[in-house]
Structure formats: C-alpha cells, structure tokens
Amino acid sequence: MDFDTGRAEAVLLTPRQRWSMVFSFVLIGLGLIAGANLRDSSLNRSLIYNNVEAGITARYPHRWLLSEAEDYVFRVENTAQLGFNTLIEVRTLPVGPDTTERNLLDRLTLRRSQTLIDYTVLGYDIYVLPDDSAAVTMSYSYVSRDASPFLEGVSAIVAGLDVLTISRGQAVIVSFRADASIFQRERATLDRFIQSLEF
C-alpha cells in the first residue's frame, strides 16, 4: 500500500502460488466429501441378526441393543437416546388358512388397549415389501410413562407402526415405535430394516 498516494499496489501471484491455491481448494473439497461419506457409513452401519428356527434374517443398527424373548423373536432398541427408546420388534405367529391381517391387527389392538395408556389406532395402510408383495400397516399412538422412580411423572407420546404380512402359514409382524416428536425422522431406520428383512 502506498500511503502517500492512498492507492493500492497490485498484488501479483506467481503461477506456483495460483496452483497452490487451486490445490488447497480441491483438497478441502475432497476432505469434506470424505468426511460426509464416513459420517453416513457410520450412521448406516449395521449388524446381521439370523434366527434359523424362526427363519428370519435382518440387518439392524450396530449400536442398538438386541434382545430375544418368548413373546417375540427379537427386539432392537436405541438405548443411547434420551426419553423413549426407539425400537423395532419382530414377532411371528402361526396362522390358519382363514386368518386375515385385519383379524391379527384387531387382536393386537385389544391386547394393547388393556395395557397401554391412551392407546389409539390412527389408521391402516399398505406397505410394499422388497419382493413387491403388499403388507398391511397399522399406525397408533399411546402415552408411555418412564419406569424410573427418579423420573416419576415424566411421560412421552409414542407413535407406532405395525407392518404385518402372512406368508407360508405364519404371520410376521414388525412393530416400530418412537417418540412422536422424532417418529418421521426415525422412520428411515424402519425402512432400511425392512429392506434387509428376509423370512
């Protein structure tokens, strides 16, 4: 800067400096893309669950807690989440030739309405499975109270979705539940799970 005249002198960059700037910008761009890919692969990383007895294989999020019990084949839930843990539960039921999806969903509704607070069925729809067959869905909501004595009185509105299909004499019911405030965001986890489900 020429302080006597108040005019700025032109700054000339050498070709080497220009190429260094271009290289820096390209390197920063590649770093951002690699970081985004690593983040996505970490978030979408999954483990395989395989139950030969039930004939079910599925991929579930790698940080979710897996449990098995007598009344369901398996359940995975996000225990790192605050509030109500988002969960996916798979159960199978033997069915007769006259059993319909609606009969099974009505039975589920009757049982849940006796144990869950403010259980409400919101509607029924069709869900297209990866093999292009159609499953029936039932969406619902209820109020969940925290079982911890330190959080007594804290409750959450839970949104749920059951995906039910009948195949080869057995009904497969995938139940997905999440806090109603994040249900739509978490729904992508259910879709990825069902895409990997084999029975």
Side-chain angles (χ1 to χ4, degrees):
M1 174 81 90
D2 185 352
F3 292 103
D4 294 334
T5 60
R7 292 180 297 178
E9 295 177 358
V11 178
L12 297 176
L13 296 176
T14 65
R16 185 176 187 166
Q17 289 171 322
R18 286 190 188 121
W19 279 111
S20 294
M21 286 178 61
V22 169
F23 180 72
S24 297
F25 286 126
V26 168
L27 196 59
I28 290 169
L30 290 174
L32 289 172
I33 291 169
N37 284 338
L38 280 173
R39 179 183 173 276
D40 287 345
S41 67
S42 173
L43 289 175
N44 296 329
R45 208 166 88 198
S46 60
L47 299 173
I48 296 175
Y49 173 83
N50 186 21
N51 186 319
V52 177
E53 246 179 69
I56 289 180
T57 302
R59 298 185 79 85
Y60 64 94
H62 78 290
R63 290 189 177 167
W64 287 29
L65 180 67
L66 172 72
S67 63
E68 296 175 297
E70 287 183 13
D71 60 335
Y72 54 82
V73 177
F74 76 103
R75 173 191 287 171
V76 289
E77 58 185 300
N78 185 3
T79 56
Q81 186 174 307
L82 293 174
F84 183 83
N85 296 338
T86 300
L87 67 87
I88 300 172
E89 182 180 279
V90 176
R91 63 180 65 209
T92 59
L93 299 169
V95 294
D98 298 330
T99 306
T100 66
E101 288 91 346
R102 185 60 186 262
N103 290 344
L104 294 171
L105 292 174
D106 287 345
R107 265 193 257 164
L108 275 175
T109 296
L110 183 62
R111 192 173 74 228
R112 288 174 179 163
S113 63
Q114 295 169 358
T115 58
L116 300 176
I117 303 166
D118 292 335
Y119 178 81
T120 307
V121 174
L122 302 174
Y124 302 91
D125 205 351
I126 300 296
Y127 190 101
V128 179
L129 297 171
D131 64 356
D132 291 329
S133 63
V136 176
T137 66
M138 178 175 72
S139 56
Y140 54 92
S141 69
Y142 64 95
V143 175
S144 171
R145 293 241 167 88
D146 201 305
S148 168
F150 302 108
L151 299 173
E152 191 172 341
V154 175
S155 58
I157 298 173
V158 177
L161 182 72
D162 291 329
V163 180
L164 186 151
T165 185
I166 296 176
S167 173
R168 297 187 303 271
Q170 85 171 352
V172 177
I173 305 167
V174 178
S175 298
F176 174 71
R177 297 180 201 129
D179 192 298
S181 63
I182 60 168
F183 181 83
Q184 289 305 323
R185 184 185 77 203
E186 293 288 295
R187 174 76 189 266
T189 304
L190 172 68
D191 293 334
R192 282 193 301 271
F193 177 84
I194 289 184
Q195 289 298 316
S196 74
L197 183 64
E198 296 175 14
F199 53 90

mmCIF file of all heavy atoms in Angstrom, residues 162-186:
data_model
loop_
_atom_site.group_PDB
_atom_site.id
_atom_site.type_symbol
_atom_site.label_atom_id
_atom_site.label_comp_id
_atom_site.label_asym_id
_atom_site.label_seq_id
_atom_site.Cartn_x
_atom_site.Cartn_y
_atom_site.Cartn_z
ATOM 1 N N ASP A 162 -47.159 -50.870 12.906
ATOM 2 C CA ASP A 162 -47.013 -52.311 12.734
ATOM 3 C C ASP A 162 -47.080 -52.623 11.246
ATOM 4 O O ASP A 162 -47.973 -52.136 10.549
ATOM 5 C CB ASP A 162 -48.144 -53.070 13.436
ATOM 6 C CG ASP A 162 -48.062 -52.986 14.946
ATOM 7 O OD1 ASP A 162 -46.947 -52.890 15.473
ATOM 8 O OD2 ASP A 162 -49.115 -53.016 15.598
ATOM 9 N N VAL A 163 -46.135 -53.431 10.781
ATOM 10 C CA VAL A 163 -46.142 -53.904 9.396
ATOM 11 C C VAL A 163 -46.374 -55.406 9.467
ATOM 12 O O VAL A 163 -45.574 -56.134 10.052
ATOM 13 C CB VAL A 163 -44.816 -53.586 8.678
ATOM 14 C CG1 VAL A 163 -44.853 -54.088 7.247
ATOM 15 C CG2 VAL A 163 -44.519 -52.091 8.725
ATOM 16 N N LEU A 164 -47.476 -55.874 8.898
ATOM 17 C CA LEU A 164 -47.880 -57.270 9.040
ATOM 18 C C LEU A 164 -48.056 -57.928 7.684
ATOM 19 O O LEU A 164 -48.690 -57.369 6.790
ATOM 20 C CB LEU A 164 -49.194 -57.338 9.826
ATOM 21 C CG LEU A 164 -49.707 -58.723 10.198
ATOM 22 C CD1 LEU A 164 -50.507 -58.648 11.477
ATOM 23 C CD2 LEU A 164 -50.566 -59.330 9.111
ATOM 24 N N THR A 165 -47.473 -59.119 7.545
ATOM 25 C CA THR A 165 -47.664 -59.895 6.327
ATOM 26 C C THR A 165 -47.810 -61.369 6.697
ATOM 27 O O THR A 165 -47.279 -61.816 7.709
ATOM 28 C CB THR A 165 -46.491 -59.702 5.337
ATOM 29 O OG1 THR A 165 -46.786 -60.384 4.130
ATOM 30 C CG2 THR A 165 -45.183 -60.219 5.904
ATOM 31 N N ILE A 166 -48.572 -62.080 5.897
ATOM 32 C CA ILE A 166 -48.772 -63.520 6.109
ATOM 33 C C ILE A 166 -48.106 -64.263 4.963
ATOM 34 O O ILE A 166 -48.355 -63.974 3.787
ATOM 35 C CB ILE A 166 -50.268 -63.869 6.194
ATOM 36 C CG1 ILE A 166 -50.895 -63.198 7.418
ATOM 37 C CG2 ILE A 166 -50.465 -65.377 6.260
ATOM 38 C CD1 ILE A 166 -52.395 -63.389 7.549
ATOM 39 N N SER A 167 -47.231 -65.210 5.329
ATOM 40 C CA SER A 167 -46.505 -65.961 4.310
ATOM 41 C C SER A 167 -46.271 -67.380 4.796
ATOM 42 O O SER A 167 -45.799 -67.582 5.920
ATOM 43 C CB SER A 167 -45.152 -65.271 4.036
ATOM 44 O OG SER A 167 -44.369 -66.042 3.178
ATOM 45 N N ARG A 168 -46.606 -68.371 3.987
ATOM 46 C CA ARG A 168 -46.358 -69.785 4.270
ATOM 47 C C ARG A 168 -46.859 -70.210 5.658
ATOM 48 O O ARG A 168 -46.141 -70.823 6.439
ATOM 49 C CB ARG A 168 -44.873 -70.103 4.113
ATOM 50 C CG ARG A 168 -44.348 -69.911 2.701
ATOM 51 C CD ARG A 168 -42.935 -70.404 2.554
ATOM 52 N NE ARG A 168 -41.998 -69.780 3.460
ATOM 53 C CZ ARG A 168 -41.329 -68.656 3.207
ATOM 54 N NH1 ARG A 168 -41.532 -68.024 2.051
ATOM 55 N NH2 ARG A 168 -40.474 -68.175 4.075
ATOM 56 N N GLY A 169 -48.071 -69.828 5.982
ATOM 57 C CA GLY A 169 -48.686 -70.270 7.225
ATOM 58 C C GLY A 169 -48.219 -69.583 8.488
ATOM 59 O O GLY A 169 -48.494 -70.042 9.591
ATOM 60 N N GLN A 170 -47.496 -68.472 8.326
ATOM 61 C CA GLN A 170 -47.108 -67.716 9.515
ATOM 62 C C GLN A 170 -47.239 -66.222 9.240
ATOM 63 O O GLN A 170 -47.024 -65.757 8.121
ATOM 64 C CB GLN A 170 -45.703 -68.076 10.005
ATOM 65 C CG GLN A 170 -44.565 -67.348 9.362
ATOM 66 C CD GLN A 170 -43.237 -67.623 10.061
ATOM 67 O OE1 GLN A 170 -43.185 -68.247 11.112
ATOM 68 N NE2 GLN A 170 -42.160 -67.141 9.476
ATOM 69 N N ALA A 171 -47.620 -65.500 10.285
ATOM 70 C CA ALA A 171 -47.693 -64.047 10.199
ATOM 71 C C ALA A 171 -46.407 -63.470 10.755
ATOM 72 O O ALA A 171 -45.913 -63.907 11.792
ATOM 73 C CB ALA A 171 -48.889 -63.536 10.993
ATOM 74 N N VAL A 172 -45.848 -62.501 10.061
ATOM 75 C CA VAL A 172 -44.667 -61.780 10.531
ATOM 76 C C VAL A 172 -45.107 -60.359 10.819
ATOM 77 O O VAL A 172 -45.654 -59.681 9.949
ATOM 78 C CB VAL A 172 -43.530 -61.800 9.485
ATOM 79 C CG1 VAL A 172 -42.335 -60.986 9.972
ATOM 80 C CG2 VAL A 172 -43.118 -63.223 9.171
ATOM 81 N N ILE A 173 -44.892 -59.925 12.070
ATOM 82 C CA ILE A 173 -45.293 -58.581 12.485
ATOM 83 C C ILE A 173 -44.046 -57.814 12.895
ATOM 84 O O ILE A 173 -43.326 -58.215 13.819
ATOM 85 C CB ILE A 173 -46.280 -58.619 13.672
ATOM 86 C CG1 ILE A 173 -47.481 -59.495 13.340
ATOM 87 C CG2 ILE A 173 -46.710 -57.215 14.062
ATOM 88 C CD1 ILE A 173 -48.330 -59.847 14.546
ATOM 89 N N VAL A 174 -43.782 -56.717 12.199
ATOM 90 C CA VAL A 174 -42.681 -55.827 12.555
ATOM 91 C C VAL A 174 -43.310 -54.600 13.204
ATOM 92 O O VAL A 174 -44.093 -53.895 12.571
ATOM 93 C CB VAL A 174 -41.856 -55.419 11.314
ATOM 94 C CG1 VAL A 174 -40.755 -54.447 11.711
ATOM 95 C CG2 VAL A 174 -41.291 -56.639 10.617
ATOM 96 N N SER A 175 -42.980 -54.375 14.476
ATOM 97 C CA SER A 175 -43.518 -53.227 15.204
ATOM 98 C C SER A 175 -42.412 -52.201 15.399
ATOM 99 O O SER A 175 -41.321 -52.532 15.872
ATOM 100 C CB SER A 175 -44.058 -53.650 16.575
ATOM 101 O OG SER A 175 -45.113 -54.558 16.421
ATOM 102 N N PHE A 176 -42.708 -50.973 15.032
ATOM 103 C CA PHE A 176 -41.752 -49.870 15.148
ATOM 104 C C PHE A 176 -42.358 -48.808 16.052
ATOM 105 O O PHE A 176 -43.505 -48.402 15.851
ATOM 106 C CB PHE A 176 -41.460 -49.295 13.754
ATOM 107 C CG PHE A 176 -40.595 -48.071 13.770
ATOM 108 C CD1 PHE A 176 -39.248 -48.173 14.086
ATOM 109 C CD2 PHE A 176 -41.120 -46.835 13.470
ATOM 110 C CE1 PHE A 176 -38.449 -47.044 14.091
ATOM 111 C CE2 PHE A 176 -40.324 -45.709 13.476
ATOM 112 C CZ PHE A 176 -38.979 -45.801 13.785
ATOM 113 N N ARG A 177 -41.616 -48.370 17.069
ATOM 114 C CA ARG A 177 -42.120 -47.349 17.991
ATOM 115 C C ARG A 177 -41.039 -46.319 18.244
ATOM 116 O O ARG A 177 -39.870 -46.668 18.437
ATOM 117 C CB ARG A 177 -42.545 -47.979 19.317
ATOM 118 C CG ARG A 177 -43.684 -48.943 19.175
ATOM 119 C CD ARG A 177 -44.084 -49.538 20.517
ATOM 120 N NE ARG A 177 -44.798 -50.778 20.258
ATOM 121 C CZ ARG A 177 -44.518 -51.936 20.817
ATOM 122 N NH1 ARG A 177 -43.551 -52.035 21.694
ATOM 123 N NH2 ARG A 177 -45.209 -53.013 20.523
ATOM 124 N N ALA A 178 -41.455 -45.059 18.281
ATOM 125 C CA ALA A 178 -40.523 -43.960 18.569
ATOM 126 C C ALA A 178 -41.298 -42.817 19.202
ATOM 127 O O ALA A 178 -42.527 -42.751 19.088
ATOM 128 C CB ALA A 178 -39.842 -43.485 17.282
ATOM 129 N N ASP A 179 -40.584 -41.937 19.868
ATOM 130 C CA ASP A 179 -41.209 -40.733 20.403
ATOM 131 C C ASP A 179 -41.884 -39.999 19.243
ATOM 132 O O ASP A 179 -41.304 -39.867 18.168
ATOM 133 C CB ASP A 179 -40.135 -39.846 21.042
ATOM 134 C CG ASP A 179 -40.723 -38.726 21.864
ATOM 135 O OD1 ASP A 179 -41.435 -37.879 21.266
ATOM 136 O OD2 ASP A 179 -40.494 -38.684 23.084
ATOM 137 N N ALA A 180 -43.101 -39.547 19.453
ATOM 138 C CA ALA A 180 -43.869 -38.928 18.362
ATOM 139 C C ALA A 180 -43.149 -37.730 17.749
ATOM 140 O O ALA A 180 -43.292 -37.451 16.562
ATOM 141 C CB ALA A 180 -45.246 -38.510 18.873
ATOM 142 N N SER A 181 -42.337 -37.025 18.539
ATOM 143 C CA SER A 181 -41.651 -35.832 18.032
ATOM 144 C C SER A 181 -40.555 -36.174 17.022
ATOM 145 O O SER A 181 -40.167 -35.329 16.215
ATOM 146 C CB SER A 181 -41.064 -35.018 19.185
ATOM 147 O OG SER A 181 -40.084 -35.784 19.869
ATOM 148 N N ILE A 182 -40.043 -37.411 17.040
ATOM 149 C CA ILE A 182 -38.976 -37.785 16.104
ATOM 150 C C ILE A 182 -39.372 -38.975 15.229
ATOM 151 O O ILE A 182 -38.543 -39.531 14.527
ATOM 152 C CB ILE A 182 -37.664 -38.113 16.863
ATOM 153 C CG1 ILE A 182 -37.871 -39.289 17.833
ATOM 154 C CG2 ILE A 182 -37.119 -36.897 17.575
ATOM 155 C CD1 ILE A 182 -36.590 -39.848 18.403
ATOM 156 N N PHE A 183 -40.641 -39.342 15.259
ATOM 157 C CA PHE A 183 -41.083 -40.543 14.544
ATOM 158 C C PHE A 183 -40.768 -40.474 13.053
ATOM 159 O O PHE A 183 -40.246 -41.431 12.470
ATOM 160 C CB PHE A 183 -42.582 -40.757 14.749
ATOM 161 C CG PHE A 183 -43.108 -41.991 14.074
ATOM 162 C CD1 PHE A 183 -42.999 -43.226 14.685
ATOM 163 C CD2 PHE A 183 -43.722 -41.928 12.829
ATOM 164 C CE1 PHE A 183 -43.481 -44.380 14.068
ATOM 165 C CE2 PHE A 183 -44.204 -43.059 12.206
ATOM 166 C CZ PHE A 183 -44.082 -44.287 12.830
ATOM 167 N N GLN A 184 -41.092 -39.366 12.410
ATOM 168 C CA GLN A 184 -40.868 -39.259 10.954
ATOM 169 C C GLN A 184 -39.388 -39.338 10.614
ATOM 170 O O GLN A 184 -39.008 -39.946 9.618
ATOM 171 C CB GLN A 184 -41.484 -37.966 10.411
ATOM 172 C CG GLN A 184 -42.995 -37.969 10.389
ATOM 173 C CD GLN A 184 -43.581 -39.152 9.624
ATOM 174 O OE1 GLN A 184 -43.058 -39.589 8.611
ATOM 175 N NE2 GLN A 184 -44.680 -39.698 10.131
ATOM 176 N N ARG A 185 -38.546 -38.732 11.437
ATOM 177 C CA ARG A 185 -37.103 -38.785 11.189
ATOM 178 C C ARG A 185 -36.580 -40.211 11.356
ATOM 179 O O ARG A 185 -35.762 -40.681 10.576
ATOM 180 C CB ARG A 185 -36.390 -37.837 12.161
ATOM 181 C CG ARG A 185 -34.893 -37.734 11.919
ATOM 182 C CD ARG A 185 -34.234 -36.898 12.972
ATOM 183 N NE ARG A 185 -34.098 -37.668 14.204
ATOM 184 C CZ ARG A 185 -33.967 -37.133 15.409
ATOM 185 N NH1 ARG A 185 -34.007 -35.828 15.559
ATOM 186 N NH2 ARG A 185 -33.830 -37.894 16.465
ATOM 187 N N GLU A 186 -37.065 -40.916 12.371
ATOM 188 C CA GLU A 186 -36.612 -42.268 12.651
ATOM 189 C C GLU A 186 -37.196 -43.307 11.692
ATOM 190 O O GLU A 186 -36.708 -44.432 11.625
ATOM 191 C CB GLU A 186 -36.979 -42.655 14.088
ATOM 192 C CG GLU A 186 -36.240 -41.865 15.138
ATOM 193 C CD GLU A 186 -34.780 -42.256 15.233
ATOM 194 O OE1 GLU A 186 -34.508 -43.396 15.615
ATOM 195 O OE2 GLU A 186 -33.928 -41.420 14.905
#
